[in-house]
Amino acid sequence: MEQPAAMVYGGDTELAAADQPMIDDILRGVDRMVLATSVDGNASATPFQIVRDAQDLVFLCCRSSRVAAQLAVNPLVQSVLWPCAADAPHGVEISGYCAEVLDPADRHRLATLFDAAGKVPRRAIDEALAAPPGEFAFFRLRPTRVMLVGTLALPPLGWRDFPDNEPGHPAQALQALSRWMRLWVHAVRAPFFTAALVPVLLGAAVARYAMQRAADLAHWSWPMFFWALAGAVLAAAGTNLINDYGDYRSGADDRNRVGSNPFTGGSRMIQLGLLAPWKVLAASLACYAATVAIGLHINALIAGSAFAPTPLLAIGVLGCALGVAYTVGPFPLSYRGLGEVAVAVGFGPVIVLGASYALTAASVTPWPALASVVASLPVAVFIALVLWINQFEDAPADAASGKRTWVVRVAQSGQASFEFERAFAVYRGLNVLGFVLIAALEALGLAAPRLATPYAWTALLALPLFLLASSRGDRWVRRWREAGAGDRERLPFELLGVNALTIMTHLATGLLLAAAYLVGSLS
């Protein structure tokens, strides 16, 4: 290992000078290290084959592994290298920072080094070279301190520092803050907040449509709209977190092997050692507490008392109960085949009714409860479909943990065997039902404009998304049927396009329906 100009020796000069050849001999003679990482008090230690690249150590790591996830949050690590000889009295401990190697030319050069060493499977090397990145990646450990150590945790015999590899303290603080924020954004699964945003927007649009028909738009309240939006988003965050905690307690997410799939196995914050289970539970309770506080504030604005017996109070209690009972409690709904219904009701009629009530209760416009329920039905179907298609990847782990979702019930053909033809037929049928409900909403809008907008037909513009998802899903089901057991392990990743298209269908139909009611309120 080359000695950079910025190197500083520990101990007295004679001891450091004597130890330096010993450190170099150990580093030349080993090709494996144990790497220790830690995030939020969750430690991991993993052995890796290594190659030396000047003063750095390079290793190959699976992207979906616990250690890779922890490195993305806290790149500061320790590693230990020990000679293979049974009587070796000393080893080398290295502290430093890990980062993925992103430069293509650098990756190809490192692949040559690993290939020459001949101790890493060629498939892993090829995956690390793939563009876009594959299952494996090259990581580089840049040392900040190298120490000669013995056993029994005695004081180090000598060390050398690499101050040029240590970021400045302000940079470390900013990086730590950025990683913390990304950690919690991932934990609450913020990209899936569309499940809450869509019904709030639709409920608000229905309320505005009713207020326009009553010539009452002067009572429209933007602050009330944003309070309702904040409450729904916090409820969604609390539901996602409590879902992760419940599936951790049952072992459902632990058994899920499709770790880097964004649509399966929850956020995996607990499984990857990024957040302690109690913090996930505490964060969920905090989100629900904030949701309740917002709901009581809205209730006080409407009725003069936070605990006034209004429909909003009942809607809020029902919504929170469905979210909590989805995976925890004495009767977890998703483990009893009621999860799909809970999601459809909670992120359909419940939120749409709550939003429309909050925005009309303080006006002279009658609460459009029936119109809200009717408008929410297509959204309820399409959000249930998001859950339905995501459960394809989860099915083996769900079945093993006793989570009897309807996909498991329909697809399981043996103790560990799944065939998805019937489950995908149900997926197609429910999509058709959703678009039929939109067509029915259009007909109702023409016949009884008080109950629906005559512009509901615009939501049918999302139909091509379903058709594309159906085509890709058919192809995936056929490949699953034809594939052997070993090949099926990678097939769930090929369903990602269908997952994404299903989310886009829910988002598009919901936004188009909301726009249809807004257009109706302008005419």
Side-chain angles (χ1 to χ4, degrees):
M1 183 178 289
E2 295 180 4
Q3 178 177 325
M7 186 180 300
V8 179
Y9 284 99
D12 61 61
T13 306
E14 291 184 4
L15 178 62
D19 289 338
Q20 182 55 46
M22 191 180 302
I23 290 176
D24 287 339
D25 286 343
I26 292 173
L27 291 176
R28 278 194 295 268
V30 298
D31 59 5
R32 188 175 300 180
M33 72 173 176
V34 174
L35 185 76
T37 61
S38 179
V39 172
D40 197 43
N42 301 301
S44 298
T46 310
F48 287 108
Q49 293 284 345
I50 59 169
V51 296
R52 295 175 62 195
D53 187 31
Q55 69 184 23
D56 302 338
L57 300 179
V58 181
F59 58 97
L60 272 166
C61 181
C62 179
R63 289 177 180 278
S64 61
S65 65
R66 177 181 171 115
V67 66
Q70 291 191 333
L71 288 176
V73 176
N74 179 18
L76 183 60
V77 301
Q78 281 192 324
S79 65
V80 175
L81 300 93
W82 206 271
C84 295
D87 59 347
H90 301 114
V92 173
E93 180 184 293
I94 298 179
S95 300
Y97 289 86
C98 277
E100 183 179 345
V101 179
L102 300 176
D103 181 68
D106 202 12
R107 294 209 307 265
H108 278 85
R109 185 176 59 82
L110 296 175
T112 303
L113 295 178
F114 272 99
D115 209 19
K119 294 187 178 181
V120 173
R122 182 66 216 186
R123 183 182 73 83
I125 297 174
D126 291 340
E127 286 276 357
L129 291 172
E135 181 180 356
F136 292 88
F138 292 112
F139 283 84
R140 181 185 297 279
L141 169 55
R142 294 190 181 277
T144 56
R145 171 166 288 191
V146 177
M147 296 193 297
L148 183 67
V149 295
T151 56
L152 304 179
L154 296 171
L157 304 177
W159 66 87
R160 57 180 179 174
D161 289 336
F162 298 80
D164 289 347
N165 287 344
E166 180 111 27
H169 290 170
Q172 290 184 48
L174 289 175
Q175 290 168 3
L177 177 62
S178 173
R179 294 186 186 106
W180 180 85
M181 293 175 63
R182 292 202 307 268
L183 183 73
W184 280 103
V185 166
H186 190 71
V188 299
R189 288 181 266 172
F192 293 95
F193 284 171
T194 54
L197 294 173
V198 164
V200 171
L201 293 174
L202 181 57
V206 171
R208 191 171 179 87
Y209 179 76
M211 294 171 78
Q212 186 273 336
R213 290 184 58 80
D216 190 31
L217 284 179
H219 284 98
W220 173 264
S221 172
W222 282 109
M224 189 69 76
F225 167 76
F226 287 114
W227 277 121
L229 193 63
V233 168
L234 284 165
T239 299
N240 290 340
L241 289 165
I242 201 73
N243 181 11
D244 279 354
Y245 181 78
D247 283 342
Y248 153 74
R249 291 294 302 271
S250 72
D253 286 347
D254 287 305
R255 293 182 175 92
N256 199 312
R257 297 182 179 275
V258 196
S260 60
N261 188 327
F263 302 111
T264 188
S267 70
R268 302 193 67 78
M269 291 291 101
I270 298 174
Q271 288 72 27
L272 294 173
L274 302 179
L275 287 173
W278 72 266
K279 286 191 175 182
V280 174
L281 176 61
S284 174
L285 296 178
C287 288
Y288 277 120
T291 300
V292 170
I294 289 174
L296 294 177
H297 174 66
I298 294 175
N299 211 40
L301 292 176
I302 292 171
S305 171
F307 293 97
T310 65
L312 182 65
L313 200 63
I315 290 170
V317 170
L318 176 60
C320 289
L322 288 173
V324 171
Y326 184 76
T327 56
V328 300
F331 192 82
L333 300 175
S334 64
Y335 288 75
R336 303 292 189 272
L338 295 174
E340 296 85 352
V341 176
V343 167
V345 173
F347 290 99
V350 167
I351 293 182
V352 175
L353 280 167
S356 67
Y357 180 80
L359 286 161
T360 57
S363 72
V364 298
T365 304
W367 178 30
L370 181 57
S372 298
V373 171
V374 169
S376 72
L377 293 180
V379 169
V381 170
F382 287 120
I383 192 58
L385 280 165
V386 172
L387 177 64
W388 185 273
I389 196 66
N390 288 355
Q391 288 173 348
F392 279 44
E393 295 100 321
D394 291 335
D398 286 345
S401 61
K403 191 174 183 180
R404 301 293 295 169
T405 68
W406 274 102
V407 168
V408 170
R409 295 165 190 255
V410 173
Q412 192 169 21
S413 58
Q415 187 66 25
S417 178
F418 293 85
E419 301 297 338
F420 289 102
E421 285 87 353
R422 287 186 300 169
F424 196 72
V426 173
Y427 169 83
R428 278 200 303 261
L430 289 174
N431 267 286
V432 171
L433 173 62
F435 285 104
V436 167
L437 288 172
I438 291 173
L441 196 62
E442 166 68 19
L444 184 63
L446 293 173
R450 180 180 61 85
L451 295 177
T453 174
Y455 301 99
W457 62 268
T458 55
L460 295 173
L461 295 174
L463 186 60
L465 294 173
F466 157 61
L467 297 177
L468 182 57
S470 179
S471 173
R472 291 187 179 182
D474 274 333
R475 185 164 59 250
W476 182 87
V477 169
R478 185 168 59 254
R479 292 192 62 188
W480 177 276
R481 183 177 61 249
E482 296 170 353
D487 295 333
R488 285 180 173 180
E489 291 187 5
R490 295 181 62 80
L491 273 178
F493 289 98
E494 299 186 16
L495 195 64
L496 293 180
V498 183
N499 297 117
L501 285 166
T502 306
I503 293 173
M504 291 170 62
T505 302
H506 165 258
L507 179 61
T509 53
L511 293 180
L512 287 170
L513 278 176
Y517 278 93
L518 289 178
V519 170
S521 71
L522 297 175
S523 60

